[in-house]
Amino acid sequence: MFWQKPSSLLVLISLVTALAACGGERADKENAAEKPAAKASEESGSTGEQIIGEEMGTAAPKSGALDTESNPYAASGSSKRPPATHPAASSADYPTNVYFGDTHVHTGWSADAGMDGAILTPEDAYRFALGEVVKSNSGIKAQLHRPYDWFMITDHSDGMGVINEIIAANPEMMANATVKRWHDALASGDEKAAADAKSELIVLQSEGKLPKVVMDPKWMKSAWEKTVDAAEKYNKPGEFSTFIAFEWTVNANGGDNLHRNVIFRDGADHTRSLLPLTTFETQDPEKLWAWMEAYEQKTGGRVLAIPHNGNLSNGRMFEEQRFDGSPMTKKWAQMRAKYEPLFEVTQIKGQSESHPTLSPEDEFANWDLWDRGNLILAPKPKGAIKHEYWREALKSGLRLEEELGTNPFQYGANGATDTHTGLSTTEEDNFFGKFKTLEPSNKNRWNFPLLTGPAGSYMGWEMAASGVMGVWAKENTRESIWDAMMRKETFATTGPRITLRFFGGFDFTDADSEGDIADVGYHKGVPMGGKISGAKKGQAATFLVAAMKDPEGANLDRVQIIKGWLDSDGKTHEKIYNVKWSDDRKPGADGKLPPVGDTVDLDQATYQNSIGAKQLIGTFKDPDFNPAEKAVYYVRVLEIPTPRWTLYDKVRFGLGDMDKKVPLVHQERAFSSPIWYAP
C-alpha cells in the first residue's frame, strides 16, 4: 500500500501568525531540524508535515480517514466528513487570512460533461467541496483530504439544461438525428461511445454547427435558477463562501479557446432572473464586457471574468487586435482591464504561464504543456504561441500601455481545475480526472482519449491534477473574497496549499524578513496585485517574499522572482532571479542553482521531506533596476520533486505497460499575482 496523506482538519494558516510562532526561522535553521517525512506506511500515526503544524501552533487533530468502499484512492477508516476550521475575521486593516478555492467547476449539467456520462449536480459538487463523501459519476466513493473554503459552479451557458432533456429523450430533441444518436450513445452504457459523442459535441460547438434545438435558450431558465439556488443554499458567511457563476465558452474559428468564467459578487436577488450570455448570441469578448457593464448599471451589482487556456487559443487569447481583426482602441483596453482582473495560469488542460520557446533560459518552463493545437487540435499558426501565455502577455502589456494609455493585460494569478465531474480534486493521490470516463474506475485512463478532434487526440495521461487559488481576504465571505480577486491579491498553485506573501516597494531591508511580514509589507509597500511608481534618484525596487509549504505536503525547493521590462527602444525582456532556496546549495558560474535532489521512490510512489525547506523568507533588491523603465514582477515557488498522479496510478493498478513518455514525477509550484512598476 502506497502512502496516503492523512485525512485531517483543514489547516488555514495566517502567515503572519505562523511566522511569529516560528520566531522567523531561516531555511538553513529549519533544515538542520527537519525530520524525514513518514514512509509509505499505514502504521505511521503522524508525518513530518503534521509535526510542522504543531511546532507552529496551527496543527489540528486528525479526523477520521476516508471511506474505502470501492475507492482505490481512499485510506481505511471512517467516512465522516473531516471537520473544518473557520479563522476569525481579521481585525487588522489588512487581510491576514488566506482562503483556498476553485473558480472553475463543471457538473453533469454542462452539456459536454453530461454527454460523457457525468451525473453529479451542483449540490453534489458543493457537498464534496465541503468535505463530505459523495458517490462519483462512475459509482465509487470520493472525498477530499481537506475541504475548500470557498467554491463555485461554472457550468457552460451554451446548452445549459440541454443534457437533461437529451437523457430524458425529450421528443423535440429526439426529432434531430444527431441529438438522437447522442442519446443512444449515452443510453448504451458504452464509455467509448459516450466519450466520442462528447468530442463530437465539442467539435460541432467549436465549428458553429450545433443542431438548432440544442441552442434554444428555453432549456436554460430552469437549470440556471437551480444553479443560483444551490449557491445560495450552501453559502455560509464566515464558514464557506459560494459564488454564482457560469462559463462563457467561445471556441472561435473552429476551436480557438477564448473561454471566460463569469463570476458575480451578488446573490440571487440580482442574478436569478437573468439568463447567462451564450456564444450563440456573440463570440466577441467586447460584447461580453458590454453585457457585464449593462448588468452592473441595471442592478448596481458587480461581476468579473477570468479567461483560461490561452495555451489552446492558437494565438488569439492575447492577440494584439480586436476580435473582428480591427485595431485595438483605448476603450477596448480599458474594458478588458476593468472586467478581467485575473487569468487562469494552470488547470487540468495544462498551463498557460510560460513556454520554453518563449523563455529558453527558464529551466522550469517545460511543464504541463498542451501546445499541439487548439481545443480540437487544429494546428497552431506560425507565431501563435507568443500570444498564448501569461508571462509574455504581462510583458506585452507594458508595451501596449505606451500605445493605448491602458495596459489591457494587467492580469493577476488564478488557478482552478476545470473539472467536468463535479469533483474538484487537485491531490495527486486523489485525482478523479476531467471527465467521468477518466475517473480512477478506468484503470487505463492514462491511455484513454480525453478529447478527440479532426487532427488527433489529447490523451488521459496529459491531464494535470491542477489547480487552486489562494485569496488574501479579511473574512470568508462572498464579498470579501470577490473583492480580493478584483484587487488581484491572489496566488495560484498547481494543487498544494502553499501559503505565499509578496510585497513591493523601495525601502524593504533584510531586517523586514525577521518580523511580522504582513504588517511591515502593507505599511512599507504594496501587496501582490499592486503598483509602485516614481522611484527617486538612487532608489531601486525592493521586494519582501515569504512562502510556506503546504502543512500536509512537500518541502520547498526555491523561491524565484520573474521580472519583465520594457526598454527605451520599446522591446520587452525577462529575467529570473533566485531569491531564497533550501539546503546548502550555491549558484554555479551560470547563476543557476544545482537541483534540489529527488527522493521519489518510483516503485512505491512515495517521497521524503529529507530535502527542501518548510518555509523560505527573504528580501530582494532588483540589481538591474532602471527607474525609467516599466517593469512587472511575480513570484514562482517550487516544491521538491513528488509523485505525479500517473505514478500513483501505475503503482496502484500495476501498470507495467505505461508508456515511457508519460511523466511520473514533477515539481508542484505556486505563482503570485504580479506587482507592476511605472516610472
Side-chain angles (χ1 to χ4, degrees), residues 79-95:
S79 63
K80 292 182 179 179
R81 161 189 162 191
T85 57
H86 308 296
S90 172
S91 60
D93 59 358
Y94 50 79

Side-chain angles (χ1 to χ4, degrees), residues 411-455:
Y411 285 108
N414 167 254
T417 62
D418 194 12
T419 178
H420 279 56
T421 63
L423 305 172
S424 175
T425 54
T426 63
E427 301 142 330
E428 302 293 327
D429 63 344
N430 192 32
F431 179 50
F432 272 73
K434 181 173 175 67
F435 289 110
K436 178 258 184 183
T437 50
L438 291 151
E439 289 187 0
S441 54
N442 179 355
K443 296 181 180 180
N444 288 302
R445 59 181 175 158
W446 72 272
N447 201 32
F448 191 88
L450 189 158
L451 287 172
T452 299

Side-chain angles (χ1 to χ4, degrees), residues 370-569:
W370 282 49
D371 59 358
R372 302 201 305 277
N374 68 7
L375 187 65
I376 63 172
L377 281 159
K380 292 189 182 300
K382 185 178 180 180
I385 284 178
K386 181 177 176 61
H387 301 288
E388 296 187 336
Y389 289 84
W390 181 55
R391 185 188 302 176
E392 197 68 23
L394 292 175
K395 296 188 297 181
S396 297
L398 303 175
R399 172 174 46 80
L400 293 176
E401 187 175 23
E402 297 284 295
E403 175 185 340
L404 301 171
T406 296
N407 181 346
F409 301 149
Q410 296 177 71
Y411 285 108
N414 167 254
T417 62
D418 194 12
T419 178
H420 279 56
T421 63
L423 305 172
S424 175
T425 54
T426 63
E427 301 142 330
E428 302 293 327
D429 63 344
N430 192 32
F431 179 50
F432 272 73
K434 181 173 175 67
F435 289 110
K436 178 258 184 183
T437 50
L438 291 151
E439 289 187 0
S441 54
N442 179 355
K443 296 181 180 180
N444 288 302
R445 59 181 175 158
W446 72 272
N447 201 32
F448 191 88
L450 189 158
L451 287 172
T452 299
S457 296
Y458 294 107
M459 302 305 292
W461 65 265
E462 297 180 85
M463 295 186 293
S466 187
V468 169
M469 183 166 70
V471 174
W472 287 103
K474 294 189 70 173
E475 58 185 358
N476 189 350
T477 63
R478 181 181 288 169
E479 297 78 13
S480 186
I481 291 172
W482 191 96
D483 290 347
M485 294 185 202
M486 182 56 78
R487 67 176 183 266
K488 307 179 181 71
E489 201 164 354
T490 64
F491 57 93
T493 93
T494 53
R497 307 283 177 93
I498 294 168
T499 303
L500 177 59
R501 284 286 202 186
F502 181 43
F503 297 96
F506 300 108
D507 302 312
F508 290 116
T509 65
D510 288 344
D512 294 327
S513 64
E514 299 291 341
D516 188 326
I517 300 294
D519 186 66
V520 70
Y522 284 106
H523 286 97
K524 292 182 70 171
V526 300
M528 59 182 76
K531 299 177 182 179
I532 57 176
S533 62
K536 298 176 183 178
K537 185 177 180 179
Q539 282 187 320
T542 60
F543 300 92
L544 177 61
V545 59
M548 182 181 295
K549 60 161 286 189
D550 182 332
E552 295 186 7
N555 280 348
L556 305 180
D557 168 5
R558 68 188 73 191
V559 169
Q560 300 174 311
I561 286 181
I562 298 173
K563 176 188 178 183
W565 72 95
L566 181 71
D567 68 20
S568 58
D569 295 324

Side-chain angles (χ1 to χ4, degrees), residues 587-593:
D590 59 359
K592 296 185 183 299
L593 281 173

Side-chain angles (χ1 to χ4, degrees), residues 556-677:
L556 305 180
D557 168 5
R558 68 188 73 191
V559 169
Q560 300 174 311
I561 286 181
I562 298 173
K563 176 188 178 183
W565 72 95
L566 181 71
D567 68 20
S568 58
D569 295 324
K571 295 181 181 179
T572 60
H573 308 268
E574 69 177 61
K575 189 170 182 178
I576 301 170
Y577 303 90
N578 288 304
V579 177
K580 297 295 292 187
W581 54 89
S582 68
D583 307 309
D584 188 20
R585 292 179 285 164
K586 300 187 185 311
D590 59 359
K592 296 185 183 299
L593 281 173
V596 68
D598 187 348
T599 67
V600 175
D601 185 328
L602 295 176
D603 295 323
Q604 300 294 323
T606 62
Y607 70 97
Q608 293 189 16
N609 274 333
S610 55
I611 57 175
K614 303 175 200 174
Q615 62 186 36
L616 294 168
I617 310 164
T619 56
F620 171 75
K621 182 177 181 179
D622 183 357
D624 305 303
F625 184 73
N626 184 334
E629 294 177 343
K630 290 183 176 180
V632 59
Y633 304 81
Y634 69 92
V635 170
R636 176 171 65 188
V637 181
L638 294 167
E639 284 188 348
I640 65 171
T642 52
R644 193 173 183 264
W645 72 266
T646 44
L647 180 57
Y648 284 112
D649 269 21
K650 183 178 182 180
V651 172
R652 174 179 296 114
F653 300 128
L655 303 175
D657 61 343
M658 188 175 283
D659 196 298
K660 291 183 179 179
K661 68 182 178 184
V662 177
L664 302 176
V665 177
H666 64 166
Q667 284 187 264
E668 303 255 35
R669 53 197 71 193
F671 307 93
S672 76
S673 287
I675 292 173
W676 287 264
Y677 168 77

